[in-house]
Amino acid sequence: MTAQEKLKASKLSVTAQRIAILDAVTANPHCTADLVIKEVKSELGKVSKQAVYDTLHLLSEKEIIRCIQPSGFPSIFEARVKDNHHHLICRECNETHDVDCAVGHAPCLTPKEDFGFLVDEAEVIYWGYCPACLEKMKAKKSLEKQ
Ligand SMILES: [Zn+2]
Ligand SMILES: [Zn+2]
């Protein structure tokens, strides 16, 4: 689906700015709002930060995009929605990867106690260190030893 079709399918009015924002998120999976602002600016010339934030919020609410809020890092956005995938994030450099869920259908994790809830989603962030940051940490450690 094109950005235009996605907006229409969610009964949102189609504006150049919304298309530019949606295209930026589609082209840059796991992008921050700052990156979207930069992309939209280079596409349309001028844009208000608040308008981009508002649109990102609206598109997330309509589930056209997904907003992930890793603690301690700025929110990231992606156009891959409704497939119950998870994220692997590096604590050092914030590098983010998609990880398909364990069983392929939601929720892929079952809580030990569901308190009578109908659980339909499990959102998991795997935290760790990417290979590049691991290398850097190892190099630093061996320097400290000397
Ligand atoms: Zn890293
Ligand atoms: Zn993702």
Side-chain angles (χ1 to χ4, degrees):
M1 262 206 275
T2 64
Q4 198 164 346
E5 286 164 350
K6 285 182 186 174
L7 290 169
K8 276 190 185 156
S10 295
K11 298 189 172 60
L12 292 175
S13 56
V14 177
T15 66
Q17 187 163 297
R18 280 180 182 167
I19 288 177
I21 290 169
L22 193 43
D23 282 344
V25 174
T26 307
N28 304 281
H30 313 129
C31 57
T32 59
D34 283 349
L35 183 78
V36 174
I37 290 166
K38 222 170 89 187
E39 294 272 301
V40 174
K41 245 185 199 163
S42 73
E43 176 81 21
L44 301 178
K46 216 176 135 189
V47 70
S48 109
K49 273 190 183 186
Q50 194 55 50
V52 172
Y53 287 127
D54 290 347
T55 303
L56 285 171
H57 185 77
L58 177 71
L59 296 177
S60 308
E61 216 165 63
K62 297 278 180 190
E63 296 182 335
I64 299 173
I65 61 172
R66 182 168 158 200
C67 173
I68 302 116
Q69 297 167 300
S71 59
F73 284 116
S75 299
I76 51 178
F77 299 91
E78 66 182 351
R80 192 181 156 188
V81 292
K82 293 178 188 162
D83 69 348
N84 196 50
H85 77 272
H86 304 304
H87 294 95
L88 181 65
I89 304 180
C90 175
R91 293 184 194 278
E92 281 293 307
C93 67
N94 212 1
E95 183 178 310
T96 305
H97 290 280
D98 286 335
V99 180
D100 290 325
C101 73
V103 295
H105 57 83
C108 67
L109 297 172
T110 311
K112 210 169 166 195
E113 174 64 81
D114 65 12
F115 296 96
F117 282 40
L118 170 67
V119 178
D120 62 10
E121 189 181 348
E123 192 178 310
V124 178
I125 295 181
Y126 301 94
W127 290 97
Y129 298 95
C130 73
C133 288
L134 267 181
E135 278 304 310
K136 270 186 229 159
M137 284 161 62
K138 271 189 213 156
K140 216 176 144 193
K141 261 196 188 151
S142 65
L143 273 180
E144 278 165 2
K145 267 184 204 156
Q146 281 165 12

